[in-house]
Amino acid sequence: MSAALTLSRAGRLLVLLALLLAPAALALPAAAQGTGTPASFVEVCADKTIERGRLRYCDAYFRDALGPQADAVLYLRDRITTLRASQEVNAESNYESFLTAVAIVAFLSIATMLLVVSERRITGIAKWSSVTSAAAVLVMAGTMTLGWLDKYRAEDATMLELGLLRDQIEVEASHAIAGGRLLDDAQIRRWTDRLHQIGVRFATSYGDASIVPDLDRFTPTN
């Protein structure tokens, strides 16, 4: 009788312990599952989204999710952002130079030629030398003008390509994060190769845009 009572008490104790431990056992898988779920960039980059007024990725999102692998993504994003800013500034400068040459230099050269030709007091060699000088200035201004326009087009096209590459890097990296995958070397090499190709195309198109060298445009600071 005493043994049966002892077993009954032990059974009740085991049931009580099972009831007490059941919630904790059920909570463990949920906690593990929540820990393994990557945070959305919308949550991590909320401050940047509010600041920019649109959805934008931030460095913290990639750094927290990728760890050491984030170095390549962050370096490429920073490099592309710096290059795009430089392209934008130089594109505006070249376009303003183009408009200035058209509005001022070309107008003054043509006006000078017309005034010299219509002036009766200027005759012979003096007239034609003045016309020739004005025509030479006009040709030089036209050459420079076309060069500035081509440089603007080169800067603008490259700026667009760099923006598309940055979008590709961010989307592919976030897709890998959402799928719980790491970035492979082939993917990083593909981004780097595309950046290299964009740079080569820009150097070629920019160099062919004008006969006047612009070595400062290709300094290491850019």
Side-chain angles (χ1 to χ4, degrees):
M1 184 69 179
S2 177
L5 183 60
T6 302
L7 290 176
S8 178
R9 290 178 179 176
R12 286 197 297 270
L13 181 61
L14 291 175
V15 171
L16 180 60
L17 289 175
L19 292 175
L20 292 175
L21 294 177
L26 293 174
L28 285 176
Q33 183 178 3
T35 304
T37 302
S40 170
F41 84 94
V42 178
E43 301 173 358
V44 180
C45 306
D47 294 339
K48 190 173 184 180
T49 295
I50 296 174
E51 177 185 352
R52 298 294 182 90
R54 62 188 187 278
L55 294 178
R56 292 297 303 170
Y57 288 98
C58 58
D59 292 351
Y61 170 70
F62 297 105
R63 189 181 299 110
D64 295 344
L66 295 175
Q69 277 204 327
D71 291 344
V73 176
L74 296 179
Y75 173 79
L76 288 174
R77 288 179 74 246
D78 181 74
R79 181 62 174 158
I80 290 171
T81 301
T82 302
L83 289 174
R84 275 195 93 245
S86 176
Q87 308 283 166
E88 185 175 3
V89 171
N90 283 276
E92 293 179 356
S93 176
N94 283 298
Y95 193 69
E96 290 175 358
S97 299
F98 164 73
L99 294 179
T100 301
V102 171
I104 298 178
V105 179
F107 173 77
L108 292 178
S109 299
I110 294 174
T112 300
M113 293 173 61
L114 293 176
L115 289 174
V116 170
V117 171
S118 62
E119 180 58 51
R120 296 181 179 180
R121 290 176 296 180
I122 303 176
T123 59
I125 298 177
K127 174 180 288 189
W128 294 111
S129 62
S130 299
V131 173
T132 303
S133 299
V137 173
L138 180 61
V139 172
M140 183 178 65
T143 303
M144 295 291 295
T145 300
L146 293 177
W148 280 319
L149 182 59
D150 289 339
K151 286 181 179 180
Y152 160 74
R153 289 172 176 169
E155 301 276 7
D156 188 63
T158 305
M159 185 172 60
L160 175 61
E161 285 196 84
L162 289 173
L164 293 175
L165 176 58
R166 185 175 61 186
D167 291 342
Q168 179 185 359
I169 292 174
E170 291 177 340
V171 170
E172 291 185 358
S174 64
H175 185 65
I177 292 172
R181 303 188 309 274
L182 296 177
L183 298 176
D184 52 33
D185 294 338
Q187 196 169 23
I188 297 175
R189 280 197 304 270
R190 186 170 66 254
W191 295 337
T192 307
D193 291 343
R194 185 176 172 187
L195 178 60
H196 173 75
Q197 293 168 4
I198 292 174
V200 171
R201 280 195 296 273
F202 168 70
T204 302
S205 58
Y206 193 90
D208 295 339
S210 176
I211 59 175
V212 179
D214 190 4
L215 300 179
D216 292 339
R217 186 65 188 87
F218 298 96
T219 55
T221 55
N222 292 332

